[in-house]
Amino acid sequence: QVQLVESGGGMVQAGDSLRLSCAASGRTFSRYAMGWFRQAPGKEREFVARINRIDGRTYYANSVKGRFTISRDNAKNTVYLQMNSLKSEDTAVYHCAADRNLDDGVSYNLRAAYDYWGQGTQVTVSS
């Protein structure tokens, strides 16, 4: 069992920045690839970013590429999402997720690739 707790959300104006954090329990955090998804009102949960377990390679949705940066600190069991140049369409509940890498056939940008999920943190961007 892995528990994930997001923090850092809030209400900002368009063009502002936020940094989200996701703290994970357990002693095996470094074994997991980590991802961020978001869900806006009336929309399905969509992929935002991922950072791999070993090589640290990152992946981003086209809608956030160049604006968002995912990173991790294994010593702190924490993954971050730095969000710059925020837009109103970024408004959503942001969830972090952990991938145990046991399902290599599932694409990184699909919810089914991830085994554990946090409860989410609200990000609201006003125009």
Side-chain angles (χ1 to χ4, degrees):
Q1 288 287 336
V2 175
Q3 281 71 49
L4 305 174
V5 180
E6 303 94 337
S7 62
M11 181 177 296
V12 298
Q13 294 182 326
D16 286 351
S17 298
L18 280 175
R19 189 181 73 161
L20 306 183
S21 299
C22 174
S25 65
R27 297 177 286 111
T28 58
F29 176 79
S30 63
R31 299 182 182 180
Y32 307 139
M34 300 295 296
W36 286 95
F37 287 71
R38 66 187 182 186
Q39 188 165 21
K43 305 294 183 181
E44 69 178 31
R45 192 171 299 185
E46 66 176 356
F47 169 77
V48 176
R50 173 191 173 93
I51 184 165
N52 276 358
R53 172 183 60 182
I54 298 176
D55 60 10
R57 184 174 180 179
T58 57
Y59 304 83
Y60 298 94
N62 288 334
S63 59
V64 307
K65 189 173 180 63
R67 300 188 296 121
F68 291 9
T69 303
I70 187 172
S71 61
R72 66 191 298 163
D73 187 338
N74 290 337
K76 297 181 179 179
N77 283 6
T78 301
V79 63
Y80 304 95
L81 185 68
Q82 178 67 45
M83 304 184 295
N84 298 328
S85 301
L86 283 163
K87 307 174 181 179
S88 60
E89 52 261 45
D90 296 318
T91 295
V93 175
Y94 284 72
H95 300 262
C96 67
D99 177 9
R100 294 183 297 166
N101 297 283
L102 301 178
D103 45 6
D104 294 340
V106 182
S107 181
Y108 65 88
N109 62 332
L110 299 180
R111 295 185 297 274
Y114 299 86
D115 303 286
Y116 305 101
W117 293 85
Q119 291 292 97
T121 185
Q122 176 71 48
V123 172
T124 302
V125 184
S126 61
S127 301

